Amino acid sequence: MPVSRALLGFLGLFFTAGALLLMWLTFLGGVKNTNPLNQIYFLQVNTSNIPGAPDVSRWTWWNLCAVENGDSQCGSSHPDYPFDPPSRRNFGTEENIPSAFIGTNHYFLTSRFSWPFMIIALFFGVVSFFTGMLAMCTRIGSYISALMAWLALIFQIITTALITAVFVQGRNHFNNNNQRARLGVKAFAFMWTAVACWLIACVMYCMGGSAGRRDRGYSGRKQRRLGFFSASAPQPSEEEPNKEAAP
């Protein structure tokens, strides 16, 4: 059974590492104008008819980036950058902005609330990664890693659902306004794949914690009972049947 627990713990650690890698790539998208970070974004829109806006714009968690030769060219980074086209944080104008964005805080609040949930998911994910090293050899390590992974999964689902909802709605509004828009395939693929990785990691850690528990407990009780009776009850000798058989 220790081999089985070690294997399950290793698989849980493997999927934990995979989820964290995908989350960090998405989280840092747009921070630097280097590959692959300049290829990770949530929404790309043709904004050439908006005054003061670049021809093509991309939104990340850090900034609003122009696009040149297919790559993001981002300026200074601003943590928890909102998706709110008419506000001064984005374009600072209502001209040629879809009417659905005007007079509402829905997109501003939804996009900004995704940031703290992502931070929380990353925190529990990192804790699960380090405790996952203990999951390969101890039951308590498996259960602690499972708990941390479940918490990371919950907040990762919340984060992914928020950004999916807000940017899908934004894409639809821009397209309806004859401004070509599309989602960032890499960012959303990474986020939803991370959800799947967390789910698998949780299952692996839980299975590792319960591996061999029933069998070892039963066999241990059986051995203790046998040891008690064997110590208290005298064993018949091999000569007694021979004596009874003699005339």
Side-chain angles (χ1 to χ4, degrees):
M1 287 303 173
V3 176
S4 177
R5 180 174 295 116
L7 177 60
L8 292 169
F10 173 78
L11 290 175
L13 187 63
F14 175 81
F15 283 103
T16 295
L20 284 174
L21 175 62
L22 296 174
M23 291 168 66
W24 279 112
L25 284 173
T26 309
F27 182 71
L28 297 175
V31 171
K32 290 187 177 181
N33 298 323
T34 56
N35 193 38
L37 298 181
N38 62 354
Q39 293 292 322
I40 301 173
Y41 57 90
F42 294 123
L43 181 66
Q44 174 177 300
V45 181
N46 185 333
T47 53
S48 57
N49 61 346
I50 298 177
D55 291 340
V56 180
S57 303
R58 288 175 177 174
W59 278 267
T60 72
W61 259 317
W62 297 89
N63 38 39
L64 176 62
C65 308
V67 179
E68 296 180 5
N69 299 322
D71 296 329
S72 298
Q73 299 298 321
C74 304
S76 58
S77 298
H78 305 277
D80 201 4
Y81 193 85
F83 174 58
D84 191 18
S87 73
R88 59 179 178 79
R89 297 176 180 87
N90 286 191
F91 301 125
T93 180
E94 295 183 358
E95 185 176 347
N96 293 326
I97 299 292
S99 59
F101 293 114
I102 300 173
T104 178
N105 291 324
H106 166 69
Y107 303 95
F108 172 82
L109 295 175
T110 305
S111 60
R112 296 206 74 173
F113 267 104
S114 65
W115 171 273
F117 286 121
M118 184 65 172
I119 297 293
I120 297 173
L122 284 170
F123 170 78
F124 286 117
V126 171
V127 174
S128 179
F129 176 79
F130 286 109
T131 58
M133 299 178 184
L134 300 176
M136 293 186 287
C137 54
T138 62
R139 177 177 290 116
I140 187 65
S142 296
Y143 286 138
I144 293 175
S145 300
L147 175 61
M148 296 297 104
W150 277 114
L151 291 172
L153 172 63
I154 291 171
F155 286 102
Q156 176 67 9
I157 290 175
I158 295 173
T159 303
T160 307
L162 286 175
I163 63 171
T164 300
V166 71
F167 285 108
V168 167
Q169 291 174 354
R171 178 201 61 184
N172 294 340
H173 294 323
F174 277 113
N175 282 330
N176 292 336
N177 200 44
N178 296 320
Q179 294 165 293
R180 185 180 179 185
R182 63 184 177 89
L183 298 176
V185 176
K186 293 183 178 65
F188 286 99
F190 289 170
M191 291 296 283
W192 283 108
T193 303
V195 170
C197 287
W198 279 125
L199 181 59
I200 296 173
C202 292
V203 174
M204 293 296 105
Y205 285 137
C206 290
M207 291 176 62
S210 60
R213 184 175 182 178
R214 182 178 301 176
D215 294 340
R216 274 218 297 261
Y218 177 77
S219 61
R221 289 194 297 271
K222 183 177 181 181
Q223 290 174 359
R224 288 194 296 271
R225 290 171 183 171
L226 290 177
F228 173 78
F229 286 111
S230 61
S232 60
Q235 299 294 328
S237 62
E238 295 179 357
E239 297 179 356
E240 290 179 359
N242 295 334
K243 291 180 180 180
E244 294 177 357

